[in-house]
Amino acid sequence: MINLIYSFGIEITTVFLSLFSIIFACIFDNKNSCSSSKSNLLCKNSKVKVIFCLFVFVSLIILFGLYVLTSDISYSNFNFFYKTNLTKTVSLYLIILFSVFSVYSIYNKIISFTYYGLTLLSLCGSLLLISANNFLSVYMSIELQSIAIFIIIAQNKTTKSKYGLEGAIKYFVISSLFSCFFIYGCSLVYSNFGTLDFQSLYSKFEKNKNISSQQSKQYQNGNVDVVATNDSKLFVWQNTNNSEDAFSSFNMELTKNSDSVKLINDNNTVYQDGFFNKLIQNEYSKSAIVGVLLIIFAFVGKMSIAPFHFWSPDLYQKTTKSSLLFILSIPKIAILLSFFTILTLFKSVLISSDLSIVFKIYSLLILLSLLVGSFGGLKQTNIKRLLAYSGIINGAFILIPSLGLNTSDLSISLFYLIVYILNTILVLLSLSLLKNKYQQKFKTFQDIALIYKKNPVIAFYILCSVLSMIGIPPFAGFFAKFFVLQYIFNINLLLFGIALISSVVASFYYLSIIKSIYFPSKDVLENIKDLIAINNSCKINRILSFIIHFICMSVVILNIFVAIKPSLFLLSITNLF
């Protein structure tokens, strides 16, 4: 028990920190609203902002300290959760992203213990999700993560508009719907395989696979007339006389001995080479097909993969940049890593003849996401809505390497995911720097027109992130797309062609951002706003602004550094699996 608490100290600590946040929220948040005030709360002589900043700082120190203390633990299985080098590294990455989010929230004047406590709960759900070793623990972790996110979206003052409330409600309804899909799919998996534990399921699949290979070698040259099977045993009867009476006796004997024995060959036909592989594949029932399909639908729905994407543009458009940064980073990484774990678990099931339809539907969803994400964003003028469609097409690129169902290929997906999240964060940080400097909202292409003349540094940040998303060297985004396209070229030329065309089409709306910044049209120039920088004398704001600039520059440098030796970076990710 002590070892369990010590191993999962970070997750347990996030829960307690969240509880403390809620307690502080009951004391302070009712008196001091955080998100609606236009005044600079950070520069007021207020005890609330001092207590809040100290609480955030101390909580981050505790999280990093616990990670260092538990980094040398020999992790072991605790039934529902299992930690490996991969989950340990991803946990550090999530804590770093949470630190960036915390600084970013304070910079955007979100001084709320309720808000921070909910993000801590969602962080806890994400940390538990990446180490979940059972379908029930996966479900509870996702729900802990999703419910906290919904409340975060719903409590923002900016979501009290038509599209914002619509996006929040859509997120809640769709999240609930796919949670139902997931839990029903888990029940069907349990009814077919008798367990929800990942290791037990993997052992069962491998056992069936080993039985199949051994018995097919033994009998591949023989004339086998009758074959029967249950979950763990194979019954083979060889009738050289082809007597129908002997066949009937054998059939009755099997029925008498075991009700669970299923007669595979009831026509007394002869199996040829590899018949045992076919035998094992046919053990999976239609309910197993539906169960696995529902679980896949649940995950792709939560990742806003087409055709389950319609909630994301409205949500992206009206939620705050702080909430959007959180939603796009921490939960997405956890859900994707858990999804890859489940795909690897069901590898032997998905490649079987009966369940190959599940794999085909999964491939079709990726194909549809490429088309929707590329063509859907062409007419968008709102930057956040454009990021929503960018997330759809990039989500498809992230899922493409999972089609091979090989652990080594998943490192390509994780590499692409990290690059995509860093570039998206860079865009959101740049927009917030502009908003805080000029005290204006930058929502559309027209708002950022000729911004390079006023602030060339922030314009450079946006330029680097957009070029990396397009896939232009010398940025990491080029190699992220190159690795994915190289992978898909070797397995499916049709999907490769569609992915390449979709990437080219998507580059047009990415280039629209660059065009607005450096080469706006005449219509835009006529309606351009005159930006006047606000002289900010608050030392705290200047320090936070410096930190945000440092983070942005670090992302740009990391983009270029990864592009110098992409194979080395990819190899380091592969070694984690």
Side-chain angles (χ1 to χ4, degrees):
M1 184 64 183
I2 296 176
N3 192 22
L4 172 62
I5 296 174
Y6 189 54
S7 299
F8 290 89
I10 297 177
E11 289 84 351
I12 296 172
T13 303
T14 53
V15 174
F16 279 103
L17 289 174
S18 179
L19 291 176
F20 280 118
S21 295
I22 295 173
I23 293 173
F24 286 134
C26 296
I27 300 172
F28 299 111
D29 281 359
N30 291 333
K31 300 179 181 179
N32 296 276
S33 178
C34 68
S35 27
S36 62
S37 178
K38 294 182 180 180
S39 59
N40 194 343
L41 292 177
L42 290 177
C43 293
K44 286 185 176 181
N45 186 15
S46 172
K47 293 182 180 179
V48 177
K49 59 104 176 178
V50 176
I51 295 173
F52 180 80
C53 293
L54 286 175
F55 179 79
V56 171
F57 178 75
V58 171
S59 63
L60 294 177
I61 293 295
I62 291 174
L63 291 176
F64 278 106
L66 284 173
Y67 179 84
V68 173
L69 291 175
T70 59
S71 60
D72 296 330
I73 293 178
S74 179
Y75 291 109
S76 58
N77 187 359
F78 293 109
N79 296 326
F80 291 104
F81 298 99
Y82 186 76
K83 289 202 171 185
T84 62
N85 289 330
L86 176 62
T87 59
K88 191 167 60 173
T89 304
V90 173
S91 296
L92 177 61
Y93 185 62
L94 293 183
I95 295 173
I96 293 173
L97 286 177
F98 187 76
S99 303
V100 174
F101 160 76
S102 300
V103 175
Y104 183 65
S105 299
I106 298 175
Y107 181 69
N108 282 284
K109 308 176 185 65
I110 300 180
I111 311 298
S112 172
F113 288 100
T114 304
Y115 184 84
Y116 193 70
L118 290 169
T119 56
L120 279 169
L121 275 180
S122 185
L123 174 64
C124 179
S126 300
L127 291 171
L128 291 174
L129 183 58
I130 61 176
S131 58
N133 197 37
N134 188 288
F135 276 110
L136 289 179
S137 59
V138 169
Y139 173 74
M140 296 186 68
S141 300
I142 290 177
E143 288 306 297
L144 178 62
Q145 178 192 90
S146 300
I147 293 174
I149 290 175
F150 169 73
I151 301 174
I152 289 170
I153 297 168
Q155 77 163 359
N156 290 328
K157 299 286 183 177
T158 54
T159 59
K160 290 185 177 180
S161 60
K162 178 182 176 181
Y163 296 106
L165 286 176
E166 182 182 352
I169 293 173
K170 279 182 179 180
Y171 179 82
F172 176 74
V173 173
I174 293 299
S175 180
S176 302
L177 175 64
F178 287 109
S179 294
C180 294
F181 280 7
F182 181 81
I183 201 66
Y184 184 59
C186 290
S187 66
L188 293 177
V189 169
Y190 182 80
S191 66
N192 280 274
F193 304 111
T195 182
L196 293 176
D197 183 73
F198 288 176
Q199 290 186 340
S200 300
L201 284 169
Y202 182 78
S203 300
K204 188 180 288 291
F205 297 149
E206 287 298 311
K207 188 175 183 180
N208 286 346
K209 182 179 178 181
N210 292 335
I211 292 174
S212 172
S213 60
Q214 293 174 4
Q215 297 292 350
S216 62
K217 290 180 182 179
Q218 182 177 354
Y219 295 101
Q220 63 182 355
N221 296 322
N223 295 324
V224 180
D225 296 321
V226 180
V227 180
T229 182
N230 59 14
D231 289 341
S232 59
K233 296 181 181 179
L234 291 171
F235 299 91
V236 181
W237 177 66
Q238 190 169 0
N239 180 17
T240 55
N241 298 323
N242 291 328
S243 171
E244 293 185 4
D245 294 335
F247 172 79
S248 300
S249 300
F250 179 73
N251 188 12
M252 292 176 61
E253 186 68 22
L254 285 175
T255 305
K256 186 185 302 181
N257 290 340
S258 176
D259 293 335
S260 64
V261 171
K262 179 181 178 182
L263 190 64
I264 300 299
N265 185 355
D266 54 2
N267 295 320
N268 201 21
T269 57
V270 177
Y271 280 89
Q272 302 299 326
D273 294 352
F275 69 88
F276 278 94
N277 290 326
K278 183 178 179 181
L279 169 66
I280 296 299
Q281 292 165 4
N282 288 336
E283 286 185 2
Y284 304 124
S285 64
K286 292 182 179 179
S287 61
I289 299 175
V290 175
V292 176
L293 191 60
L294 287 175
I295 291 174
I296 291 178
F297 278 174
F299 274 97
V300 297
K302 288 182 178 293
M303 290 186 289
S304 70
I305 298 298
F308 313 113
H309 67 284
F310 48 85
W311 56 271
S312 59
D314 292 336
L315 177 66
Y316 279 48
Q317 182 178 359
K318 291 300 179 180
T319 191
T320 62
K321 294 183 181 67
S322 298
S323 301
L324 188 58
L325 185 144
F326 183 83
I327 295 169
L328 286 174
S329 56
I330 296 175
K332 181 166 285 190
I333 293 174
I335 289 177
L336 192 70
L337 194 61
S338 178
F339 181 52
F340 286 163
T341 302
I342 293 174
L343 282 180
T344 306
L345 174 68
F346 284 118
K347 177 180 178 180
S348 60
V349 180
L350 290 172
I351 62 177
S352 67
S353 59
D354 283 351
L355 290 184
S356 60
I357 186 174
V358 176
F359 193 72
K360 292 177 181 178
I361 294 175
Y362 176 57
S363 303
L364 183 62
L365 295 178
I366 295 176
L367 178 63
L368 186 61
S369 298
L370 289 171
L371 298 175
V372 171
S374 57
F375 290 95
L378 289 176
K379 293 185 178 181
Q380 302 300 323
T381 57
N382 185 282
I383 298 175
K384 289 183 182 178
R385 290 184 72 89
L386 187 143
L387 289 177
Y389 285 98
S390 174
I392 295 170
I393 185 174
N394 281 292
F397 270 95
I398 292 168
L399 293 180
I400 283 176
S402 65
L403 292 172
L405 299 175
N406 295 318
T407 304
S408 58
D409 298 332
L410 298 182
S411 59
I412 300 176
S413 294
L414 194 56
F415 176 78
Y416 192 102
L417 175 65
I418 293 173
V419 173
Y420 160 69
I421 288 177
L422 289 177
N423 288 323
T424 307
I425 289 175
L426 185 56
V427 173
L428 294 174
L429 292 179
S430 301
L431 293 177
S432 289
L433 285 171
L434 290 173
K435 178 184 176 182
N436 281 273
K437 184 170 184 177
Y438 300 104
Q439 297 298 313
Q440 294 185 21
K441 294 182 179 180
F442 293 84
K443 296 181 178 180
T444 63
F445 294 163
Q446 182 175 330
D447 296 332
I448 60 174
L450 292 179
I451 198 66
Y452 80 98
K453 291 185 177 180
K454 294 287 185 178
N455 202 315
V457 176
I458 297 179
F460 175 73
Y461 295 155
I462 300 176
L463 175 66
C464 292
S465 63
V466 171
L467 290 179
S468 184
M469 286 183 180
I470 295 174
I472 295 178
F475 298 102
F478 168 77
F479 291 98
K481 282 195 175 181
F482 174 77
F483 288 141
V484 173
L485 292 174
Q486 183 185 38
Y487 171 82
I488 198 64
F489 178 79
N490 296 326
I491 64 173
N492 193 319
L493 287 177
L494 176 62
L495 189 57
F496 167 78
I498 295 174
L500 186 60
I501 293 172
S502 300
S503 181
V504 173
V505 172
S507 65
F508 281 94
Y509 61 72
Y510 286 131
L511 290 173
S512 298
I513 301 176
I514 299 177
K515 180 184 176 183
S516 298
I517 295 175
Y518 294 95
F519 316 104
S521 61
K522 292 183 179 179
D523 296 335
V524 175
L525 288 174
E526 291 176 358
N527 300 317
I528 193 171
K529 297 178 181 179
D530 187 18
L531 298 177
I532 301 175
I534 305 299
N535 186 17
N536 197 342
S537 60
C538 179
K539 291 184 179 180
I540 298 178
N541 272 340
R542 289 205 298 267
I543 292 173
L544 291 174
S545 179
F546 173 78
I547 295 174
I548 298 297
H549 273 285
F550 176 77
I551 294 172
C552 290
M553 188 57 68
S554 299
V555 173
V556 173
I557 294 173
L558 184 62
N559 246 312
I560 299 174
F561 176 75
V562 171
I564 295 174
K565 291 187 177 180
S567 57
L568 180 63
F569 189 75
L570 182 63
L571 180 63
S572 63
I573 297 177
T574 305
N575 293 334
L576 296 175
F577 286 89

